Amino acid sequence: MFLSNFSVRRPVATVVLILGLMAMGLLALSKLKVNERPDVALPLLVVNIPYPGASPETVERAISGVAQVNVYGSLKRELSVLLQAQKMRELNVTVNEVINALRQQNAAAPVGKVRGTLEDQSIRLLGRLDKPEEFAQIVVRRNGAELIRLGQLAVIQDGFAEVTSLSQRNGQPNVGMSIVRSREASTVSVADEVRALVKTIQAELPEGSAIAITEDGGKNAQRSLNNVIEALVLGAVLTVFVVYVFLNSWRSTLITALSLPTSVLTSFIAVWLCGFTLNFMTLLGLSLAIGVLIDDAIVVRENIVRHMERGADRVTAALQGTAEIGLAVAATTFSIVAVFIPVAFMPGVSGEWFRPFGLTVVASVLVSLVISFTLDPMLSAYWGDPPGHEHAPKTGITRFLQRFNDWFDHQADRYGRVIEWALHHRRWMTVFAIVSFVGALFLQGKFGGTSFLPVSDYGILAIDVRTPPSTSLEYARRKVEAAAALARELPETQATNAQVNVNGGRVYVDIGDRKSRKRLTVEVGKDLRRKIEVLVGAEYSVLDDLAGGAQKPVQIRFTGPDSRKLLQLTEDYMDRGRIPASCCSSPKTTWTACARYPARWTWPCPCSRRKMSCRLNWIEGWPRPWAFLRVMSPTPCAWPLRVWRRAIGWTPAARRATWPCG
């Protein structure tokens, strides 16, 4: 073969080529951005509103790679212009004139350019006003030499805008910030810069103030990647160990093991050229390919050793052994490529996730094929075991490994008899294969389940709180704090961070690292759901897996041009989804509904002869006197709901009218 002949006859050039590929791989690795997940391009359209009067310092962030900074609970400065109607009538000035004056005389905009030989500089007009005294001097109208200024018509007050959001940590108010990286940025790099900036700001804060990082996505990403890297390294070590056990030669083991770092490092060149990031999908591809990377080298090396056992010298054995096995090795490698190429080009969101995985596997196995045809024959020819090494007396651990290989060869002979039996009982083997396949599908469907992403344990729970329409910010704060207070009763809870707005809010519950607690996040989430069942006046939902963007696992959206029709469809669907055909279908099931009249009933459930408790509670702060009904059954039964619907006077019209409280 051309590659093996060239590498054996030009060893220096081969070494230089391999070292060059490894150096380029290290360079590509240093340029790769580190993220926890692949960059998935979702089918979304973002509309940007330009700000022509802003300076570059206003548009850019202090940290490169930051796309958005959200602030919660802060006070925003606001200058209020309180017009005085009497003075406006005396001076015959309209409101539109005041508005136009404010727009024209309180603006910053580009007004031109200064063109130079090598560069152009833009000219901006700095017209933004900052003080109430400056606003009072705005000219609203000119009557000849007489100027009517804003201060003659209005009172300018320097204050704060209405608070529309709150932030709380462990029940105490604070100012919260969430920093979102841009798509092309690295999560780990941005997080490192944010930590450095926090240390700088901490030194400048006044006494009594503090700034702390409550959630660090960079550490989570780095931790996940470290887990994959540890698995990759462990797999490589175990692979080399197994090779040494069966080859019983440290030179043969080292020759085959060198294909691992060279193939892995060279694969990073393809990852960088494809525009991928260093995430768990690319590293998962390398972890999967670890065994395949060394397979080609093992097959080539074993065939070379076989030729040496027959009396050939090292150079001849390297050339003939590689040429003899080359077609089989290439066929094995290209069969793997044929499997993973379609995976890399799957359409849709799944394709976005699996593209880095598939192409990384393809690149790594192709590189391993080249390495097995170049580096392995060259090292075998000039640095392999000396002639007669296989028949030399064994001492120490090599004697033990020789005994193990003799025993394994005996087991291989017995395995041949099993294969012989299988070939003579083809019908039984067909039945066994079909039963195994069906059984595997049954076990996976019964116990394994399916999911787009695996369940993750980030050590954080989220509680979504949705308050009824037209409630106040204070009402939402109370409901969110009620959920946070219950979350702090959990033994695993280290802190709660709440974000509140007029529509409700969200509580992030920090339960610490997985190693610091006994229960999984899913188990803690179940306990938290039981606790918040007693809360009323808002809709509460616990999210125990934040891998999907901290959203509910099932979301249904109705779209269309007619808003009234959409509202009707939504209400009908909610009615069908909330009220099942029987009063209970599983033990300790809780139903939520609305009723017109506050009361309390207890009556027997006919199918279980046990009592069902129905409790109605008034919802604090609601504009209409609807009540919140919970029906709890201790045992399964098939009691039609129409019985208790009649008991509380619930009609379909009332059900539609009271839909918001569910």
Side-chain angles (χ1 to χ4, degrees), residues 299-356:
V299 173
V300 172
R301 177 60 188 165
E302 192 275 336
N303 204 49
I304 292 174
V305 171
R306 187 172 62 85
H307 278 267
M308 292 181 64
E309 291 176 350
R310 293 180 177 180
D313 61 276
R314 290 187 294 191
V315 175
T316 303
L319 293 174
Q320 294 181 354
T322 306
E324 185 179 55
I325 204 69
L327 183 60
V329 173
T332 303
T333 302
F334 284 110
S335 64
I336 298 175
V337 172
V339 170
F340 283 95
I341 280 290
V343 173
F345 291 98
M346 286 193 304
V349 178
S350 301
E352 295 285 339
W353 277 89
F354 282 96
R355 186 169 295 114

Side-chain angles (χ1 to χ4, degrees), residues 4 32 129 200 218 239 260 304 415 421 425 466 502 504 553 640-641 644:
S4 58
L32 286 176
L129 305 181
T200 303
T239 301
L260 282 178
I304 292 174
Y415 175 70
W421 179 89
H425 299 79
R466 191 176 69 174
V502 293
L641 286 181
W644 59 267

Side-chain angles (χ1 to χ4, degrees), residues 466 539 570-580 590-594 641 655 658-662:
R466 191 176 69 174
E539 179 184 332
T570 304
E571 291 178 356
D572 293 342
Y573 187 85
M574 295 293 289
D575 289 341
R576 292 196 300 268
R578 283 201 184 99
I579 308 300
T590 300
W591 306 112
T592 302
C594 297
L641 286 181
R655 181 180 59 193
T658 59
W659 171 78
C661 68

Side-chain angles (χ1 to χ4, degrees), residues 593-604:
C594 297
R596 281 181 177 273
Y597 307 107
R600 183 179 182 91
W601 298 282
T602 300
W603 57 75

Side-chain angles (χ1 to χ4, degrees), residues 541-561:
S541 58
V542 177
L543 306 176
D544 52 29
D545 187 4
L546 307 186
Q551 298 178 352
K552 295 181 180 179
V554 178
Q555 300 183 31
I556 301 174
R557 297 180 180 179
F558 295 93
T559 59

